[in-house]
Amino acid sequence: MKIDLTGKTALVTGSTSGIGHAIARGLAATGAEVVVNGRTRPKVDAAVAAIIKAVPGARVKGVAADVSTGAGCQTLVAALPEVDILVNNAGIFEPKGFFDIPDEDWSRFFEVNVMSGVRLSRAYMPNMLKRNWGRIVFISSESGLNIPREMIHYGMTKTAQLAISRGLAELTRGTAVTVNSVLPGPTLSEGVEIFIKDLARHNGQSEEEAAANFVKQNRPTSLIQRLASVDEIANLVVYVSSKESSATNGASLRAEGGIVQTIA
Ligand code: NAD
């Protein structure tokens, strides 16, 4: 199978670093015209330049907008009125005990992780249905199934994405539009790299040891027993964004190394 998305436009939110950046790079490599998004112009410009360097001939542009606000989403939609592929990736996470999480954190997590995808799907999906082709992918998490005790608010947002994604898929009946979720497990994105470096320094370990111990201690059911790379997640997202994935709709697709032990 050779995935070719030439002629399609893809928007990946939160794609200046981490998993989102790898997805944007992966989609650019398939020939899609890719739109990178982050909150600041310099970071967006740097991400666009990095993809052009990694994928010669890539068609990439960037829009700076904060997708956690209605105004930010409006800015993005005004700059880019139509897309064929929408990847709702922007997201935040932070370990915090339930009794220490104030109302503001619950609202902030909901706005960034959930409402960004709600607003952008509401803006872009009607035209996908009209044109009878489109892909919407929500980047949820294994934490949407196994709610982490150290960040229940984050788990709540990742479960909410699964509900929205499945609900939107119901609206695609009989069309060639699909809406799916991808569930990564612990993945070595820039955000997680900083966390692992701190852990290694704190425990007097190498980064490799700290990363391996983190998985063993915090995700003991992991079958791969390591962090995933951002490209391992991006590969599945590129597939589910492709024309070849046309029978996959309303699905929650795992790229979490087997942490979740249920069969279905
Ligand atoms: P990251 O922190 O490395 O990157 C997140 C990106 O989103 C950054 O570029 C950041 O600037 C951008 N962003 C954040 N808030 C934004 C906003 N309001 N508007 C626009 N851009 C914004 O994170 P990551 O680890 O790559 O995570 C990406 C997604 O994958 C998230 O939804 C996260 O929940 C999910 N995920 C990550 C892991 C993991 O272990 N890394 C595991 C499961 C799921």
Side-chain angles (χ1 to χ4, degrees):
M1 179 174 55
K2 185 162 178 0
I3 293 175
D4 183 359
L5 286 167
T6 306
K8 303 289 187 199
T9 300
L11 166 63
V12 186
T13 65
S15 47
T16 54
S17 68
I19 292 172
H21 189 68
I23 295 169
R25 189 174 56 231
L27 287 170
T30 70
E33 182 173 344
V34 174
V35 180
V36 166
N37 157 253
R39 280 159 296 180
T40 66
R41 192 75 246 173
K43 280 202 171 163
V44 168
D45 288 345
V48 169
I51 292 174
I52 291 170
K53 194 170 172 208
V55 183
R59 299 175 64 215
V60 195
K61 57 185 185 183
V63 179
D66 180 346
V67 295
S68 72
T69 68
C73 288
Q74 270 175 20
T75 303
L76 186 46
V77 175
L80 182 72
E82 285 194 16
V83 298
D84 301 296
I85 299 162
L86 167 63
V87 182
N88 290 313
N89 166 79
I92 51 171
F93 42 93
E94 180 192 22
K96 203 179 258 188
F98 175 77
F99 300 109
D100 298 323
I101 304 173
D103 285 5
E104 304 83 72
D105 284 12
W106 282 93
S107 302
R108 187 165 53 92
F109 270 67
F110 198 76
E111 289 291 329
V112 182
N113 294 4
V114 181
M115 288 311 295
S116 55
V118 167
R119 294 186 181 113
L120 294 174
S121 302
R122 191 169 57 205
Y124 290 122
M125 192 171 165
N127 273 335
M128 291 181 188
L129 293 170
K130 228 177 270 167
R131 290 197 307 271
N132 196 28
W133 199 89
R135 299 280 181 264
I136 299 180
V137 186
F138 284 81
I139 307 304
S140 171
S141 170
E142 153 265 326
S143 296
L145 300 180
N146 291 338
I147 306 300
R149 59 199 289 179
E150 74 281 9
M151 41 183 185
I152 296 174
H153 55 341
Y154 174 71
M156 174 276 295
T157 64
K158 294 288 138 180
T159 310
Q161 287 182 303
L162 299 178
I164 295 160
S165 168
R166 178 65 214 191
L168 291 180
E170 292 293 331
L171 308 182
T172 66
R173 197 171 297 263
T175 74
V177 178
T178 69
V179 185
N180 294 287
S181 295
V182 167
L183 285 68
T187 304
L188 200 52
S189 62
E190 277 85 338
V192 171
E193 210 172 322
I194 294 167
F195 168 77
I196 294 292
K197 275 191 179 135
D198 284 349
L199 202 66
R201 207 173 311 122
H202 185 257
N203 295 344
Q205 296 168 315
S206 70
E207 283 168 34
E208 290 71 28
E209 280 169 340
N213 282 346
F214 171 79
V215 173
K216 282 198 184 91
Q217 281 166 13
N218 295 282
R219 299 291 188 277
T221 56
S222 167
L223 298 176
I224 61 173
Q225 285 287 296
R226 60 173 174 81
L227 297 168
S229 72
V230 289
D231 286 325
E232 287 177 298
I233 311 304
N235 290 341
L236 182 55
V237 179
V238 170
Y239 169 70
V240 79
S241 302
S242 73
K243 296 167 198 164
E244 287 75 9
S245 70
S246 45
T248 302
N249 196 1
S252 300
L253 304 166
R254 299 178 190 172
E256 40 76 25
I259 291 169
V260 179
Q261 290 182 303
T262 55
I263 291 166

